[in-house]
Amino acid sequence: MSMKDRLVDQAKKLASSSTVVRVVSNDRVMRLATGVMDAKNRLRAARERAAEAWDILLNGHALPNIDPALDDEAGVHGATPARAASPRPSARAAGAAGLSAVEEAASAPSERAAARPHVNGVGANGAAVNGAGANGAGTYVAAAAEQQLATQMAARTSLARIGGRDVFEKAYKFMTADNARAMGVYPFFRPLDFNNGPEAQLEGRTVIMLGSNNYLGLTTHPKVREAARNAIDKYGTSMTGSRLVNGSMRLHNELEEKLAAYHGKEAGLVFTTGYQVNIATISALLSNKRSVAIIDKDDHASIYDGVRLAQAAGARMVRYKHSDPAALDSALSEIADTEGALVITDGVFSAQGEIANLPGIVEVVKKHKARLLVDDAHALGVIGPGGRGTAAHFGLGKEVDLIGGTFSKSLASIGGWLVGERKVLDYIQHFAYSFLFAASAAPPCVAAAMASLEVMQEEPWRQEKLRENFTYMRTELQRLGFELGKTETAVIPIYIRDDLKTVMMWKSLLDDYSLYVNPFITPGVPPKQQVLRTSYMATHERKHLDHALEAFEKVGKKFGVI
């Protein structure tokens, strides 16, 4: 044997030794290797950040790009000090649509599609591939295609910084959604044929709906439908104007009075959307440099957007550790005597299903003489006596200054609501541009929400049945071994903690078991917080829930989650 052959033979033995295999398969070693190989891109990104920092230094600070669950612990009171950065891309770099762009993927999409024979057992021409070809080629190709998607998802970078003469340039370079659609794993914007509550129709087939916020199942209630029809017959389809001028009618005032009475508050205000409630309220109240928004870091995106508008007027934003009164106390302790603080929290957090620690929050807010706004979008109709929400759940209705929410969950309509002191609401409706200059809520929407509020009180069994359903599912999912976090409500997240696995489980549940759930991946949630978000209704029957449990068990085992 020649010297060359002996060296090659020794190299092969060394490469296949258990020690080398352990080293090269070690996550830390692979991350280090990836970091070294990606040094060029990292240096380029560093140059871009330096240029941006210099621009800010010269021209002043821009509005911060902080979304809920992005930049997870940065600047958060009570957060664990950040460790040294790892080579992985930060969540801040991702866009807001759930699947952001991979700039490297923008080149030669047709070549990539041609090189992708099949995904998860389906050929590029739609033919099934059983993976039993020579040397397991089918399985290998499927794994390679999934790995390609995983690489794209892990390497996502934001297109927001791309600039130049053509503002559409970033749109043309956004390829990840197209790639995911081509691979059959794009989970968003799927058009339903119709949604009839616990069951829906998607692309001609019936699916069990575990992805809706129709908690009390009122969207198809006869009384709610009749109220909407009658409103169209009497008032038409729209007011075609803002509340300020020609868009206010007695129907709006009637619902405002009923919402205020229901919550034990002095006054109510009806908005066109629930999102608008937070944008208008926060921007109107925090309108100068002596105003500070103190928000839970996991608050809804509409709260963050409201704060951004306030920041444009000079207000500051301070975030505190999720549902942590001690962190809130620390944040409020640093507010100057000349500043006024509005503390804002979700009542029920929409991704986690967790109820805010309102007793602790109220105690701290009162201690510092601040004001408190609770967004009860996912609490109304779900918790509290008569479904009155988070403050009522804890017996703190009189201690919370403002409570807001949406019609689009338990109230089975489109619109938003806010209750509190009359003078405060009067100020908001005169100083919130996003209220003043937006078209008013349409008569059928207002009538449907009012009817839903009445049904909610006339049929208390719905809230009881809802609680029975989500308690059953929480208990059984935990028994199967799934991680559910701290959920206490109709929102039950199943933690997967991996982008690709979350999407592939969503696909299997839908394709193989006709089960519709919502995949939450980064940047919509922080890294390692990816979940299949499930939500439940009063109108789900046990057969729906048991079928779902059977599907979750099989898919969970298939993907090694349980």
Side-chain angles (χ1 to χ4, degrees):
M1 180 181 290
S2 67
M3 178 66 71
K4 178 180 179 182
D5 291 336
R6 284 199 298 271
L7 289 174
V8 170
D9 185 58
Q10 289 175 359
K12 287 181 178 178
K13 289 180 181 178
L14 178 63
S16 60
S17 70
S18 59
T19 301
V20 171
V21 169
R22 281 197 302 272
V23 169
V24 300
S25 62
N26 183 277
D27 283 347
R28 285 176 292 181
V29 173
M30 293 303 292
R31 285 199 298 269
L32 177 60
T34 301
V36 171
M37 289 186 291
D38 194 42
K40 180 180 178 181
N41 290 333
R42 293 169 64 198
L43 286 172
R44 182 179 62 189
R47 287 197 301 269
E48 290 177 357
R49 287 194 297 270
E52 181 183 39
W54 179 249
D55 181 66
I56 290 174
L57 184 64
L58 291 177
N59 301 311
H61 288 279
L63 290 180
N65 182 26
I66 299 177
D67 285 320
L70 300 191
D71 198 15
D72 193 36
E73 302 293 352
V76 178
H77 275 262
T80 303
R83 294 179 294 179
S86 66
R88 74 181 181 192
S90 72
R92 177 190 286 277
L99 281 173
S100 276
V102 183
E103 293 176 17
E104 292 79 8
S107 61
S110 60
E111 294 178 10
R112 286 193 307 278
R116 189 185 301 120
H118 77 90
V119 177
N120 205 27
V122 179
N125 60 357
V129 179
N130 61 20
N135 301 320
T139 302
Y140 173 79
V141 175
E146 291 184 13
Q147 183 58 44
Q148 180 187 33
L149 178 63
T151 302
Q152 290 182 355
M153 296 173 81
R156 287 191 302 254
T157 55
S158 174
L159 295 176
R161 293 179 180 176
I162 292 179
R165 189 65 179 173
D166 186 357
V167 296
F168 286 3
E169 182 183 358
K170 60 178 68 70
Y172 299 138
K173 290 186 176 181
F174 175 54
M175 295 301 302
T176 305
D178 283 341
N179 293 340
R181 290 185 188 104
M183 296 173 70
V185 293
Y186 183 70
F188 308 116
F189 300 103
R190 298 290 292 266
L192 296 167
D193 302 326
F194 67 87
N195 185 3
N196 199 29
E199 294 183 355
Q201 196 167 83
L202 175 68
E203 298 168 356
R205 64 184 174 121
T206 300
V207 297
I208 294 175
M209 174 54 70
L210 295 189
S212 171
N213 299 319
N214 184 18
Y215 297 124
L216 299 179
L218 296 179
T219 57
T220 57
H221 193 284
K223 182 173 180 177
V224 176
R225 283 177 159 174
E226 182 182 11
R229 280 194 298 265
N230 291 342
I232 289 176
D233 292 341
K234 184 174 182 179
Y235 304 109
T237 58
S238 172
M239 295 306 298
T240 68
S242 70
R243 292 289 302 274
L244 176 67
V245 286
N246 69 303
S248 290
M249 58 190 309
R250 293 190 185 278
L251 193 65
H252 292 96
N253 297 140
E254 184 180 354
L255 179 54
E256 289 168 345
E257 292 168 2
K258 289 186 176 182
L259 285 165
Y262 177 69
H263 285 93
K265 293 296 186 182
E266 187 179 5
L269 192 59
V270 165
F271 294 75
T272 311
T273 70
Y275 208 98
Q276 183 195 31
V277 173
N278 286 329
I279 291 177
T281 302
I282 296 168
S283 62
L285 293 176
L286 305 180
S287 57
N288 55 58
K289 294 181 179 179
R290 290 178 293 174
S291 305
V292 186
I294 312 288
I295 67 174
D296 187 298
K297 78 175 187 67
D298 286 356
D299 274 347
H300 190 263
S302 59
I303 292 173
Y304 276 82
D305 277 352
V307 172
R308 286 192 183 97
L309 281 178
Q311 287 177 308
R316 293 196 297 120
M317 176 180 72
V318 177
R319 301 193 298 165
Y320 64 91
K321 186 178 179 182
H322 173 57
S323 211
D324 187 334
L328 173 61
D329 187 33
S330 172
L332 284 168
S333 296
E334 297 181 7
I335 302 301
D337 292 339
T338 56
E339 293 180 312
L342 177 65
V343 177
I344 313 162
T345 181
D346 288 8
V348 169
F349 290 88
S350 60
Q352 301 100 317
E354 181 183 353
I355 303 173
N357 182 358
L358 203 56
I361 292 171
V362 165
E363 182 180 354
V364 173
V365 167
K366 296 301 179 185
K367 170 186 172 182
H368 292 276
K369 296 181 173 58
R371 295 292 185 177
L372 177 60
L373 165 62
V374 174
D375 180 344
D376 251 3
H378 292 270
L380 183 71
V382 178
I383 61 174
R388 285 176 174 80
T390 311
H393 174 75
F394 291 109
L396 295 171
K398 294 182 180 179
E399 307 302 320
V400 176
D401 298 296
L402 295 169
I403 305 173
T406 178
F407 296 168
S408 63
K409 276 73 176 177
S410 291
L411 293 182
S413 184
I414 290 292
W417 56 273
L418 182 71
V419 295
E421 292 183 50
R422 185 192 68 81
K423 285 295 293 180
V424 177
L425 268 59
D426 193 39
Y427 176 88
I428 291 168
Q429 74 175 358
H430 283 91
F431 284 86
Y433 284 4
S434 50
F435 177 82
L436 282 169
F437 300 107
S440 67
C445 295
V446 177
M450 186 149 42
S452 296
L453 185 64
E454 293 169 0
V455 172
M456 188 188 305
Q457 298 169 81
E458 294 166 355
E459 300 180 5
W461 67 263
R462 290 180 179 272
Q463 188 185 352
E464 295 166 8
K465 181 64 175 176
L466 174 63
R467 185 180 298 109
E468 176 186 318
N469 283 346
F470 70 67
T471 300
Y472 174 72
M473 288 300 293
R474 183 177 65 219
T475 301
E476 291 301 305
L477 286 168
Q478 287 173 334
R479 180 185 62 79
L480 290 173
F482 286 104
E483 181 188 357
L484 308 182
K486 299 179 180 179
T487 177
E488 304 171 73
T489 64
V491 174
I492 300 181
I494 299 174
Y495 283 85
I496 310 301
R497 303 194 184 282
D498 178 86
D499 277 333
L500 179 63
K501 190 176 291 186
T502 301
V503 172
M504 298 311 294
M505 287 182 67
W506 159 82
K507 179 176 172 59
S508 182
L509 288 167
L510 184 60
D511 290 352
D512 302 332
Y513 299 97
S514 297
L515 191 64
Y516 191 109
V517 300
N518 294 311
F520 279 21
I521 62 176
T522 54
V525 293
K528 299 300 181 183
Q529 298 294 312
Q530 297 90 339
V531 300
L532 293 172
R533 181 189 184 273
T534 68
S535 51
Y536 300 89
M537 309 178 206
T539 47
H540 275 127
E541 300 175 15
R542 187 56 60 90
K543 66 179 182 181
H544 299 129
L545 305 182
D546 286 340
H547 173 83
L549 288 168
E550 179 183 356
F552 283 129
E553 181 176 16
K554 291 180 178 178
V555 174
K557 289 180 178 178
K558 174 182 175 181
F559 287 91
V561 174
I562 57 174

